[in-house]
Amino acid sequence: MPTYEFRCRTCDDTFELQRPMSESSAPASCPDGHADTVKLLSMAGISGTRQQPAQGGGGCCGGGCYGS
């Protein structure tokens, strides 16, 4: 089940809730009972891997155009 992060606008507390994706937009009260909360954009689903650029050959000249 996904975890969603929220911030309370009243007490400025940040908290997490686990709930089904079908309820991802449902309102959430903070642990102190305040109803004025906002769902935060979470980076948890973003992969930490970085794709390296391709080496060598390139375009019509095979990469030999540079530094000639």
Side-chain angles (χ1 to χ4, degrees):
M1 192 171 328
T3 301
Y4 298 95
E5 190 174 22
F6 294 84
R7 184 177 58 81
C8 178
R9 291 179 178 164
T10 303
C11 65
D12 206 33
D13 188 26
T14 301
F15 60 98
E16 295 179 343
L17 291 177
Q18 286 188 343
R19 53 170 55 168
M21 290 178 76
S22 61
E23 296 177 18
S24 66
S25 297
S29 294
C30 85
D32 291 331
H34 305 123
D36 188 12
T37 62
V38 61
K39 186 169 78 168
L40 301 176
L41 176 63
S42 175
M43 301 305 278
I46 307 282
S47 172
T49 60
R50 184 174 157 203
Q51 188 173 7
Q52 296 294 331
Q55 298 292 324
C60 63
C61 60
C65 298
Y66 302 104
S68 300

mmCIF file of all heavy atoms in Angstrom, residues 4-7 15 17-30 35-40:
data_model
loop_
_atom_site.group_PDB
_atom_site.id
_atom_site.type_symbol
_atom_site.label_atom_id
_atom_site.label_comp_id
_atom_site.label_asym_id
_atom_site.label_seq_id
_atom_site.Cartn_x
_atom_site.Cartn_y
_atom_site.Cartn_z
ATOM 1 N N TYR A 4 1.649 8.161 1.701
ATOM 2 C CA TYR A 4 1.502 9.543 1.263
ATOM 3 C C TYR A 4 1.929 10.465 2.393
ATOM 4 O O TYR A 4 1.662 10.210 3.561
ATOM 5 C CB TYR A 4 0.049 9.828 0.861
ATOM 6 C CG TYR A 4 -0.391 8.982 -0.303
ATOM 7 C CD1 TYR A 4 -1.071 7.785 -0.095
ATOM 8 C CD2 TYR A 4 -0.119 9.368 -1.603
ATOM 9 C CE1 TYR A 4 -1.461 6.997 -1.161
ATOM 10 C CE2 TYR A 4 -0.511 8.588 -2.680
ATOM 11 C CZ TYR A 4 -1.180 7.400 -2.449
ATOM 12 O OH TYR A 4 -1.553 6.622 -3.509
ATOM 13 N N GLU A 5 2.613 11.546 2.035
ATOM 14 C CA GLU A 5 3.098 12.501 3.021
ATOM 15 C C GLU A 5 2.217 13.754 2.990
ATOM 16 O O GLU A 5 1.869 14.250 1.913
ATOM 17 C CB GLU A 5 4.548 12.870 2.711
ATOM 18 C CG GLU A 5 5.223 13.656 3.787
ATOM 19 C CD GLU A 5 6.702 13.862 3.494
ATOM 20 O OE1 GLU A 5 7.118 13.774 2.328
ATOM 21 O OE2 GLU A 5 7.432 14.123 4.461
ATOM 22 N N PHE A 6 1.865 14.232 4.163
ATOM 23 C CA PHE A 6 1.010 15.404 4.307
ATOM 24 C C PHE A 6 1.680 16.414 5.233
ATOM 25 O O PHE A 6 2.507 16.050 6.053
ATOM 26 C CB PHE A 6 -0.349 15.025 4.917
ATOM 27 C CG PHE A 6 -1.192 14.153 4.038
ATOM 28 C CD1 PHE A 6 -1.025 12.772 4.019
ATOM 29 C CD2 PHE A 6 -2.172 14.708 3.228
ATOM 30 C CE1 PHE A 6 -1.802 11.972 3.212
ATOM 31 C CE2 PHE A 6 -2.962 13.913 2.421
ATOM 32 C CZ PHE A 6 -2.770 12.537 2.413
ATOM 33 N N ARG A 7 1.291 17.680 5.103
ATOM 34 C CA ARG A 7 1.734 18.725 6.030
ATOM 35 C C ARG A 7 0.510 19.442 6.558
ATOM 36 O O ARG A 7 -0.388 19.802 5.812
ATOM 37 C CB ARG A 7 2.654 19.729 5.344
ATOM 38 C CG ARG A 7 3.208 20.776 6.317
ATOM 39 C CD ARG A 7 4.180 21.721 5.673
ATOM 40 N NE ARG A 7 3.621 22.440 4.548
ATOM 41 C CZ ARG A 7 2.850 23.529 4.638
ATOM 42 N NH1 ARG A 7 2.525 24.014 5.810
ATOM 43 N NH2 ARG A 7 2.408 24.121 3.555
ATOM 44 N N PHE A 15 3.454 14.512 8.328
ATOM 45 C CA PHE A 15 3.123 13.146 8.727
ATOM 46 C C PHE A 15 2.844 12.298 7.500
ATOM 47 O O PHE A 15 2.630 12.817 6.405
ATOM 48 C CB PHE A 15 1.927 13.123 9.691
ATOM 49 C CG PHE A 15 0.658 13.706 9.113
ATOM 50 C CD1 PHE A 15 -0.331 12.885 8.574
ATOM 51 C CD2 PHE A 15 0.447 15.082 9.102
ATOM 52 C CE1 PHE A 15 -1.489 13.418 8.042
ATOM 53 C CE2 PHE A 15 -0.715 15.627 8.578
ATOM 54 C CZ PHE A 15 -1.681 14.790 8.051
ATOM 55 N N LEU A 17 0.738 8.802 5.822
ATOM 56 C CA LEU A 17 -0.394 7.886 5.922
ATOM 57 C C LEU A 17 -0.272 6.823 4.843
ATOM 58 O O LEU A 17 0.090 7.140 3.708
ATOM 59 C CB LEU A 17 -1.716 8.621 5.713
ATOM 60 C CG LEU A 17 -2.177 9.601 6.777
ATOM 61 C CD1 LEU A 17 -3.480 10.264 6.335
ATOM 62 C CD2 LEU A 17 -2.397 8.874 8.094
ATOM 63 N N GLN A 18 -0.561 5.581 5.209
ATOM 64 C CA GLN A 18 -0.658 4.519 4.215
ATOM 65 C C GLN A 18 -2.123 4.358 3.865
ATOM 66 O O GLN A 18 -2.964 4.232 4.761
ATOM 67 C CB GLN A 18 -0.104 3.210 4.766
ATOM 68 C CG GLN A 18 1.384 3.180 4.850
ATOM 69 C CD GLN A 18 1.883 1.792 5.207
ATOM 70 O OE1 GLN A 18 1.142 0.943 5.684
ATOM 71 N NE2 GLN A 18 3.158 1.557 4.976
ATOM 72 N N ARG A 19 -2.404 4.391 2.567
ATOM 73 C CA ARG A 19 -3.782 4.227 2.110
ATOM 74 C C ARG A 19 -3.776 3.744 0.678
ATOM 75 O O ARG A 19 -2.794 3.925 -0.033
ATOM 76 C CB ARG A 19 -4.561 5.530 2.246
ATOM 77 C CG ARG A 19 -3.903 6.733 1.598
ATOM 78 C CD ARG A 19 -4.752 7.975 1.522
ATOM 79 N NE ARG A 19 -5.275 8.409 2.784
ATOM 80 C CZ ARG A 19 -5.848 9.572 3.007
ATOM 81 N NH1 ARG A 19 -5.945 10.440 2.024
ATOM 82 N NH2 ARG A 19 -6.329 9.891 4.168
ATOM 83 N N PRO A 20 -4.879 3.130 0.241
ATOM 84 C CA PRO A 20 -4.960 2.666 -1.148
ATOM 85 C C PRO A 20 -4.875 3.845 -2.126
ATOM 86 O O PRO A 20 -5.244 4.975 -1.787
ATOM 87 C CB PRO A 20 -6.338 2.010 -1.233
ATOM 88 C CG PRO A 20 -6.817 1.859 0.165
ATOM 89 C CD PRO A 20 -6.071 2.833 1.009
ATOM 90 N N MET A 21 -4.389 3.576 -3.328
ATOM 91 C CA MET A 21 -4.290 4.624 -4.339
ATOM 92 C C MET A 21 -5.653 5.244 -4.637
ATOM 93 O O MET A 21 -5.735 6.425 -4.953
ATOM 94 C CB MET A 21 -3.669 4.077 -5.613
ATOM 95 C CG MET A 21 -2.201 3.760 -5.462
ATOM 96 S SD MET A 21 -1.462 3.072 -6.938
ATOM 97 C CE MET A 21 -1.319 4.533 -7.941
ATOM 98 N N SER A 22 -6.704 4.467 -4.508
ATOM 99 C CA SER A 22 -8.053 4.978 -4.766
ATOM 100 C C SER A 22 -8.455 6.060 -3.765
ATOM 101 O O SER A 22 -9.372 6.825 -4.013
ATOM 102 C CB SER A 22 -9.069 3.834 -4.737
ATOM 103 O OG SER A 22 -9.078 3.217 -3.457
ATOM 104 N N GLU A 23 -7.748 6.149 -2.634
ATOM 105 C CA GLU A 23 -8.036 7.158 -1.610
ATOM 106 C C GLU A 23 -6.927 8.207 -1.517
ATOM 107 O O GLU A 23 -6.864 8.966 -0.549
ATOM 108 C CB GLU A 23 -8.207 6.481 -0.250
ATOM 109 C CG GLU A 23 -9.392 5.542 -0.185
ATOM 110 C CD GLU A 23 -9.495 4.823 1.149
ATOM 111 O OE1 GLU A 23 -8.878 5.285 2.142
ATOM 112 O OE2 GLU A 23 -10.176 3.796 1.202
ATOM 113 N N SER A 24 -6.060 8.279 -2.529
ATOM 114 C CA SER A 24 -4.906 9.178 -2.468
ATOM 115 C C SER A 24 -5.293 10.650 -2.369
ATOM 116 O O SER A 24 -4.568 11.446 -1.794
ATOM 117 C CB SER A 24 -4.006 8.971 -3.686
ATOM 118 O OG SER A 24 -4.670 9.359 -4.870
ATOM 119 N N SER A 25 -6.442 11.031 -2.904
ATOM 120 C CA SER A 25 -6.873 12.434 -2.873
ATOM 121 C C SER A 25 -7.829 12.748 -1.726
ATOM 122 O O SER A 25 -8.272 13.887 -1.592
ATOM 123 C CB SER A 25 -7.538 12.806 -4.194
ATOM 124 O OG SER A 25 -6.614 12.685 -5.243
ATOM 125 N N ALA A 26 -8.127 11.753 -0.910
ATOM 126 C CA ALA A 26 -9.054 11.965 0.205
ATOM 127 C C ALA A 26 -8.415 12.890 1.248
ATOM 128 O O ALA A 26 -7.201 12.862 1.452
ATOM 129 C CB ALA A 26 -9.424 10.636 0.850
ATOM 130 N N PRO A 27 -9.210 13.737 1.896
ATOM 131 C CA PRO A 27 -8.677 14.611 2.948
ATOM 132 C C PRO A 27 -8.064 13.799 4.091
ATOM 133 O O PRO A 27 -8.455 12.662 4.338
ATOM 134 C CB PRO A 27 -9.910 15.370 3.445
ATOM 135 C CG PRO A 27 -10.964 15.162 2.427
ATOM 136 C CD PRO A 27 -10.636 13.894 1.702
ATOM 137 N N ALA A 28 -7.091 14.385 4.764
ATOM 138 C CA ALA A 28 -6.441 13.716 5.890
ATOM 139 C C ALA A 28 -6.282 14.712 7.034
ATOM 140 O O ALA A 28 -5.899 15.851 6.811
ATOM 141 C CB ALA A 28 -5.075 13.193 5.469
ATOM 142 N N SER A 29 -6.583 14.272 8.233
ATOM 143 C CA SER A 29 -6.367 15.099 9.424
ATOM 144 C C SER A 29 -5.005 14.773 10.003
ATOM 145 O O SER A 29 -4.553 13.629 9.955
ATOM 146 C CB SER A 29 -7.435 14.813 10.477
ATOM 147 O OG SER A 29 -8.700 15.219 10.007
ATOM 148 N N CYS A 30 -4.332 15.775 10.563
ATOM 149 C CA CYS A 30 -3.025 15.532 11.177
ATOM 150 C C CYS A 30 -3.221 14.762 12.487
ATOM 151 O O CYS A 30 -4.341 14.695 13.010
ATOM 152 C CB CYS A 30 -2.277 16.843 11.384
ATOM 153 S SG CYS A 30 -2.640 17.747 12.890
ATOM 154 N N ALA A 35 -7.698 19.677 10.543
ATOM 155 C CA ALA A 35 -8.188 19.228 9.238
ATOM 156 C C ALA A 35 -7.549 19.974 8.072
ATOM 157 O O ALA A 35 -7.650 19.540 6.930
ATOM 158 C CB ALA A 35 -9.703 19.387 9.176
ATOM 159 N N ASP A 36 -6.861 21.084 8.321
ATOM 160 C CA ASP A 36 -6.290 21.897 7.247
ATOM 161 C C ASP A 36 -4.916 21.344 6.857
ATOM 162 O O ASP A 36 -3.878 21.797 7.327
ATOM 163 C CB ASP A 36 -6.176 23.359 7.698
ATOM 164 C CG ASP A 36 -5.781 24.288 6.561
ATOM 165 O OD1 ASP A 36 -5.826 23.853 5.395
ATOM 166 O OD2 ASP A 36 -5.427 25.446 6.845
ATOM 167 N N THR A 37 -4.912 20.325 5.993
ATOM 168 C CA THR A 37 -3.674 19.679 5.577
ATOM 169 C C THR A 37 -3.540 19.716 4.063
ATOM 170 O O THR A 37 -4.511 19.915 3.345
ATOM 171 C CB THR A 37 -3.628 18.213 6.045
ATOM 172 O OG1 THR A 37 -4.700 17.494 5.456
ATOM 173 C CG2 THR A 37 -3.698 18.117 7.563
ATOM 174 N N VAL A 38 -2.325 19.498 3.608
ATOM 175 C CA VAL A 38 -2.041 19.458 2.178
ATOM 176 C C VAL A 38 -1.150 18.252 1.903
ATOM 177 O O VAL A 38 -0.242 17.949 2.680
ATOM 178 C CB VAL A 38 -1.382 20.771 1.698
ATOM 179 C CG1 VAL A 38 -0.066 21.020 2.376
ATOM 180 C CG2 VAL A 38 -1.234 20.790 0.202
ATOM 181 N N LYS A 39 -1.444 17.540 0.806
ATOM 182 C CA LYS A 39 -0.628 16.391 0.419
ATOM 183 C C LYS A 39 0.631 16.909 -0.263
ATOM 184 O O LYS A 39 0.569 17.768 -1.135
ATOM 185 C CB LYS A 39 -1.398 15.458 -0.513
ATOM 186 C CG LYS A 39 -0.643 14.182 -0.825
ATOM 187 C CD LYS A 39 -1.498 13.147 -1.522
ATOM 188 C CE LYS A 39 -1.644 13.499 -2.969
ATOM 189 N NZ LYS A 39 -2.216 12.412 -3.760
ATOM 190 N N LEU A 40 1.797 16.375 0.143
ATOM 191 C CA LEU A 40 3.072 16.808 -0.398
ATOM 192 C C LEU A 40 3.482 15.927 -1.568
ATOM 193 O O LEU A 40 3.106 14.759 -1.641
ATOM 194 C CB LEU A 40 4.155 16.750 0.681
ATOM 195 C CG LEU A 40 3.890 17.593 1.924
ATOM 196 C CD1 LEU A 40 4.991 17.364 2.949
ATOM 197 C CD2 LEU A 40 3.790 19.061 1.567
#
